[in-house]
Amino acid sequence: MDLESGADTPDGQQWKGYYKNLFLLAYQSLGVVYGDLGTSPLYVYKSTFSGQLRHYQSEEVALGAFSLVFWTFTLIPLLKYVLIVLAADDNGEGGTFALYSLLCRHAKLSLLPHQQAADDEISMYYSEGRTRSSISSPLKRFLEKHKKLQTSLLLIVLFGVCMVLGDGILTTSLSVMASVSGLQVPLDGLRNREVVIISCGILVGLFALQHRGTHRLAFLFAPIVLVWLLCIAVIGVYNTIYWNRQIYQALSPHYIIRFFKLTGKDGWIALGGVLLSITGTEAMFADLGHFTASSIRLAFISLIYPCLVLQYMGQAAFLSKNRSDDPPTFYDSIPEPVFWPVFVISTLAAIVGGQSVISATFSIVNQCLALGCFPRVKVVHTSRWIYGQIYIPEINWILMVLCLAVTIGFHDTTIIGNAYCIACMIVMFITVGLMTLVMIFIWHMNRVYALGFLFFFGSIEAAYLSSTLVKVPQGAWIPLIPSFIFMLIMYVWHYGTRRKYLYDLENKVSMKWILGLGPSLGIIRIPGIGLIYTELVTGVPAIFSHFVTNVPAFHQVLVFVCVKSLPAPHVPEDERFLIGRIGPRNYHMYRCIIRYGYKDFIKDEENFEDQLVLSIAKFIEMEAQDMGSASSGSYTLSNEGRMAVIRTDDLSVNTILREEEDDTLGDEDSIRSIRSTRSEIVQRRQVVHEHDSPGISHQRRVRFELSPANSIDPQVRDELNVLIAARNAGVTYIMGHSCVKARKHSSFVKKFIIDIAYAFLRKNCRGPAVALHIPHVSLVEVGMIYYV
């Protein structure tokens, strides 16, 4: 009898599926993550020898340049990012802002004071195997104590994020122009103007494809990058064998010392060109949410690293035996018989080259948006399986316009390369600093090792950064301008949002005032549920008193809804609802906090109202029981006003029955009975809405009824009866239509930020009702002025 192989066992099948998925993601990452890094050979040696270094073209200088490229490529992308930085993922997410959100969860560094103890109980709030340590380092306590340092840290992070956005502009332009300029080798009459026109056409096509989604683009682009990598590896081996077989000796760092002895200051300035060999490395970390760390590591170690090293070695072998007064180009080293096939492949690969940074830009903007550091924009999730794959139309077209402006305005890969270098190095330098904090605060690593990491990589990147700063007048200033503008937008939005939140926090309605109004709140309580949206997680917002004093009637059941984004990538769907009570039982006022991660999609869920009602009913049932015995596991308690996490995967309420009604156009009696309990204005709006949206009349409505069980506590039964009657009467969404203004005696700078800049951003971004998918037919907006 033959023994069955392990691959046929359940565990074997799981491993087989794991490896299949791993290799598939590694293959897809070629088209999204490594397009930029893979096309670096197009311009590395040209930029390195474009300055005074072109007068030092000798075999020793060529070997020294290759040695610099090899060790830079080995130390930064391979050692720093692939082996170390990718391990600091934020539950599968990467990038500068992911590191910041990771630090905010393990240390009190966030400037928005809306953290709750219940947030720490979310299963995915901390990485697997890690929790917030009770042992606090002196550095951690020092940062938590000083708000100015927290503000400075946020500004540094925002600056790093904005430089990534600058990368998105420059990478795409540089890759496409470097490839198209290869046409000037066989076509001597081709001028720069024609190269620019062709490049612009390719750029427009690339950005027009972004709405197709990362998943489709990966399958489209991955085979192009794969063929390109294999092609340049073969050409590199050919050039090494044909021109200089001793080039492998340059793998010794000894040649770096000889390089600087021969070139001196000119060699130090040329480091900017060497730096182009690692452009796209930060995008490898930022694109982590689109794939997995294992797949990115597999693709880099098995394919990217060896292919690029072979290509750089082959180019250096060619340069060591072929000298020219003009800066060498990639196409000079291509054997003539294969020039045109290589040119076609390189052009296609260059188009892909910008994809990695474009995808990274979408991910980073989405993170900033969720954490209150970017104006509200439309986010389209292009994959139903992977939430990290997104598309942001506004950012896409802004990037396209800026890329075209850079391409048309500068039309020189050397100038664009100088600009790209400084953007790349600033982002890497900031990542080193944040990683050091992660090592100390989260990994609890020995400070000697953490400081050793900071000193080793920081000194290398500082040397490169110093060489790029010299080139600021030669084009390195280009990314600083858009980065400064983006940073200004982000900080203004965050500052205005924070001041508005602090105003609500300082002007909360006191419970003494609410209790003084009595259960009717001093007004008529009409049938229905009123969902009052607020940013506060505790207390009653000032807009409620504004509404009560100006409106003669209010809903029988009031729910204060807060949609809060946490500094975590994901919050499990069954842990999002946090329910509590405001005031005595007969006031029928509740609080619902809905928590999302910065990568979660706020969907337009048809059953949101039903989930909310069932969650409140579940809370009422649990509150009637012994609240001290929370060991059943169905919910957890926090210390903030007896709030409970209601798990939506278990919303079975024994006392409530649900009955679905199919509303069709022919079922007029059912529609009429539902409308009869609503106000006349809402009825008119509902009729108009159904007329404009014919499909709305085919939705299924759910009516609730109280079960005839006799074991229910009378108070619980009465409260559930009120809740059910209110739900069947209808739900109204109430939001503040606020106008934020600076106080009269504020400084000129503050008035400019709040009254002009922040007001302009609020007016031209998506409204909160649209971002939260609130049905317009049921929305009531209350105007209010905030003097911050």
Side-chain angles (χ1 to χ4, degrees):
M1 182 174 64
D2 295 335
L3 294 175
E4 293 183 353
S5 64
D8 292 332
T9 64
D11 289 341
Q13 291 292 341
Q14 290 179 1
W15 280 108
K16 184 186 293 185
Y18 169 78
Y19 283 118
K20 180 180 179 181
N21 187 54
L22 176 64
F23 283 109
L24 179 62
L25 288 176
Y27 170 73
Q28 289 182 339
S29 69
L30 296 177
V32 176
V33 178
Y34 293 115
D36 181 19
L37 197 62
T39 54
S40 295
L42 288 171
Y43 40 77
V44 169
Y45 284 116
K46 179 183 179 181
S47 298
T48 302
F49 289 95
S50 62
Q52 294 297 322
L53 203 65
R54 67 175 179 270
H55 302 304
Y56 296 88
Q57 291 191 34
S58 64
E59 183 171 350
E60 277 194 304
V61 173
L63 267 63
F66 168 65
S67 187
L68 269 171
V69 170
F70 171 77
W71 284 105
T72 302
F73 194 67
T74 300
L75 292 176
I76 304 299
L78 179 61
L79 182 59
K80 176 188 169 184
Y81 277 89
V82 172
L83 300 182
I84 299 177
V85 174
L86 285 181
D89 65 297
D90 186 11
N91 283 325
E93 299 299 326
T96 308
F97 223 87
L99 289 177
Y100 177 70
S101 68
L102 193 63
L103 290 170
C104 287
R105 293 208 305 277
H106 290 80
K108 299 176 182 178
L109 302 179
S110 178
L111 296 177
L112 283 178
H114 63 359
Q115 296 90 348
Q116 296 173 283
D119 297 338
D120 292 344
E121 300 170 6
I122 295 176
S123 58
M124 296 183 66
Y125 198 68
Y126 297 107
S127 300
E128 186 176 353
R130 295 190 184 123
T131 57
R132 179 179 287 179
S133 175
S134 58
I135 303 174
S136 180
S137 66
L139 178 60
K140 181 179 176 181
R141 292 195 299 269
F142 184 72
L143 287 174
E144 291 178 342
K145 188 184 299 182
H146 294 83
K147 288 291 183 184
K148 291 184 178 180
L149 291 177
Q150 296 172 20
T151 304
S152 301
L153 179 63
L154 176 64
L155 289 175
I156 292 172
V157 170
L158 292 181
F159 186 61
V161 168
C162 293
M163 295 308 290
V164 174
L165 299 181
D167 280 356
I169 300 168
L170 299 170
T171 301
T172 316
S173 302
L174 180 62
S175 299
V176 173
M177 278 202 68
S179 176
V180 176
S181 62
L183 286 173
Q184 294 177 315
V185 175
L187 305 177
D188 295 334
L190 190 67
R191 294 173 295 179
N192 282 340
R193 185 174 65 180
E194 285 80 5
V195 171
V196 170
I197 294 174
I198 297 173
S199 300
C200 289
I202 293 175
L203 288 172
V204 172
L206 175 61
F207 283 101
L209 285 173
Q210 293 304 311
H211 73 281
R212 304 297 297 175
T214 307
H215 180 72
R216 295 181 179 90
L217 292 177
F219 273 108
L220 176 65
F221 291 160
I224 297 174
V225 177
L226 180 61
V227 172
W228 162 254
L229 290 171
L230 296 177
C231 178
I232 62 175
V234 171
I235 293 174
V237 172
Y238 168 81
N239 284 331
T240 300
I241 296 173
Y242 186 83
W243 293 108
N244 190 349
R245 299 185 181 184
Q246 305 301 316
I247 192 70
Y248 70 89
Q249 296 178 0
L251 298 177
S252 170
H254 171 69
Y255 282 85
I256 297 177
I257 300 174
R258 296 174 63 177
F259 173 82
F260 284 114
K261 283 184 178 179
L262 290 171
T263 59
K265 181 181 177 182
D266 294 330
W268 170 68
I269 295 175
L271 284 177
V274 175
L275 179 61
L276 290 174
S277 64
I278 60 173
T279 55
T281 303
E282 185 65 29
M284 178 170 62
F285 181 44
D287 283 329
L288 190 58
H290 294 256
F291 302 96
T292 63
S294 300
S295 63
I296 291 176
R297 287 192 181 103
L298 177 63
F300 184 88
I301 295 174
S302 64
L303 196 62
I304 301 297
Y305 184 78
C307 289
L308 291 182
V309 168
L310 289 174
Q311 170 57 32
Y312 288 128
M313 182 184 294
Q315 277 197 66
F318 174 83
L319 293 176
S320 66
K321 301 300 182 180
N322 296 271
R323 298 170 180 81
S324 173
D325 293 335
D326 297 324
T329 66
F330 166 79
Y331 296 99
D332 293 336
S333 63
I334 303 299
E336 188 175 348
V338 296
F339 175 85
W340 285 108
V342 172
F343 172 77
V344 173
I345 297 172
S346 68
T347 303
L348 295 175
I351 296 172
V352 181
Q355 182 61 45
S356 61
V357 185
I358 295 172
S359 300
T361 300
F362 292 156
S363 297
I364 290 174
V365 169
N366 188 43
Q367 294 172 14
C368 297
L369 173 66
L371 297 178
C373 293
F374 202 87
R376 291 181 293 268
V377 292
K378 183 179 182 180
V379 178
V380 180
H381 288 253
T382 58
S383 172
R384 65 178 64 179
W385 298 283
I386 303 176
Y387 273 176
Q389 296 187 357
I390 59 173
Y391 164 68
I392 304 178
E394 293 93 332
I395 300 300
N396 183 64
W397 302 124
I398 290 174
L399 283 179
M400 187 192 74
V401 171
L402 293 176
C403 282
L404 293 176
V406 168
T407 304
I408 296 171
F410 297 97
H411 56 265
D412 188 348
T413 56
T414 301
I415 296 177
I416 299 175
N418 292 337
Y420 192 12
C421 288
I422 192 170
C424 180
M425 279 321 306
I426 289 175
V427 176
M428 290 185 176
F429 205 70
I430 292 174
T431 300
V432 168
L434 293 176
M435 274 299 302
T436 304
L437 295 179
V438 168
M439 290 177 174
I440 297 174
F441 295 169
I442 302 172
W443 293 356
H444 309 297
M445 186 179 288
N446 190 303
R447 290 177 201 155
V448 175
Y449 296 123
L451 294 177
F453 171 85
L454 175 65
F455 176 78
F456 180 73
F457 289 105
S459 58
I460 294 174
E461 292 170 3
Y464 281 110
L465 183 61
S466 63
S467 69
T468 58
L469 291 176
V470 176
K471 297 183 178 181
V472 169
Q474 303 172 23
W477 56 270
I478 297 173
L480 299 178
I481 302 300
S483 298
F484 176 77
I485 295 173
F486 276 119
M487 182 179 174
L488 191 62
I489 291 173
M490 289 183 179
Y491 184 74
V492 166
W493 183 263
H494 184 270
Y495 177 79
T497 303
R498 182 167 176 264
R499 297 306 305 176
K500 181 176 178 292
Y501 182 87
L502 292 176
Y503 177 90
D504 273 334
L505 200 62
E506 295 168 358
N507 294 273
K508 292 189 295 186
V509 178
S510 67
M511 282 305 302
K512 183 178 179 181
W513 183 79
I514 294 177
L515 294 175
L517 296 176
S520 67
L521 300 178
I523 54 178
I524 300 173
R525 302 291 289 269
I526 60 175
I529 297 178
L531 302 184
I532 304 175
Y533 278 76
T534 175
E535 296 178 358
L536 292 180
V537 294
T538 59
V540 177
I543 197 170
F544 176 71
S545 61
H546 181 71
F547 197 95
V548 168
T549 55
N550 289 276
V551 177
F554 223 90
H555 299 83
Q556 183 66 32
V557 175
L558 298 177
V559 183
F560 292 87
V561 180
C562 173
V563 179
K564 181 173 72 168
S565 291
L566 299 180
H570 300 289
V571 175
E573 291 189 12
D574 61 327
E575 299 180 35
R576 286 181 180 165
F577 281 80
L578 190 62
I579 304 294
R581 183 188 297 280
I582 298 177
R585 185 187 297 269
N586 57 349
Y587 279 58
H588 304 296
M589 296 169 62
Y590 308 93
R591 181 185 308 284
C592 174
I593 299 175
I594 309 172
R595 302 170 296 182
Y596 287 92
Y598 58 75
K599 300 295 285 187
D600 287 329
F601 180 34
I602 302 180
K603 295 180 290 186
D604 184 13
E605 298 185 8
E606 295 179 0
N607 61 342
F608 166 71
E609 297 173 3
D610 301 333
Q611 279 189 354
L612 181 61
V613 170
L614 290 174
S615 298
I616 295 174
K618 188 80 173 177
F619 171 79
I620 294 172
E621 284 187 349
M622 291 190 305
E623 190 185 41
Q625 301 170 0
D626 183 9
M627 299 301 293
S629 59
S631 60
S632 61
S634 60
Y635 67 97
T636 54
L637 295 177
S638 68
N639 296 323
E640 290 129 356
R642 294 174 61 110
M643 299 193 72
V645 178
I646 307 298
R647 299 190 178 276
T648 55
D649 60 348
D650 181 23
L651 285 180
S652 56
V653 183
N654 298 327
T655 56
I656 290 184
L657 301 176
R658 284 185 289 180
E659 179 183 352
E660 292 188 354
E661 297 180 350
D662 191 5
D663 289 345
T664 60
L665 289 174
D667 194 2
E668 296 292 340
D669 294 336
S670 176
I671 299 174
R672 193 179 299 112
S673 64
I674 291 173
R675 287 180 182 160
S676 62
T677 57
R678 301 188 178 185
S679 66
E680 185 180 351
I681 296 177
V682 174
Q683 288 182 35
R684 291 200 210 111
R685 294 173 68 181
Q686 183 74 17
V687 170
V688 173
H689 185 59
E690 290 178 0
H691 182 267
D692 293 338
S693 307
I696 203 73
S697 57
H698 295 278
Q699 293 180 357
R700 301 184 67 87
R701 300 184 188 272
V702 178
R703 291 184 65 84
F704 294 91
E705 293 181 0
L706 200 61
S707 65
N710 298 322
S711 59
I712 307 175
D713 182 88
Q715 288 186 335
V716 174
R717 176 179 288 276
D718 293 341
E719 190 170 7
L720 290 176
N721 271 324
V722 173
L723 179 65
I724 292 171
R727 170 62 184 94
N728 293 334
V731 177
T732 301
Y733 297 80
I734 303 167
M735 296 194 72
H737 188 77
S738 55
C739 177
V740 183
K741 291 183 175 293
R743 290 173 180 167
K744 188 175 297 184
H745 301 292
S746 301
S747 64
F748 172 77
V749 175
K750 184 177 180 180
K751 287 183 178 179
F752 176 81
I753 292 175
I754 297 296
D755 296 345
I756 299 178
Y758 184 64
F760 176 81
L761 293 176
R762 279 174 58 88
K763 184 178 180 181
N764 291 278
C765 71
R766 299 185 89 206
V770 178
L772 296 173
H773 300 285
I774 294 175
H776 182 70
V777 67
S778 303
L779 176 63
V780 175
E781 292 187 284
V782 183
M784 185 173 178
I785 298 178
Y786 286 74
Y787 288 100
V788 299

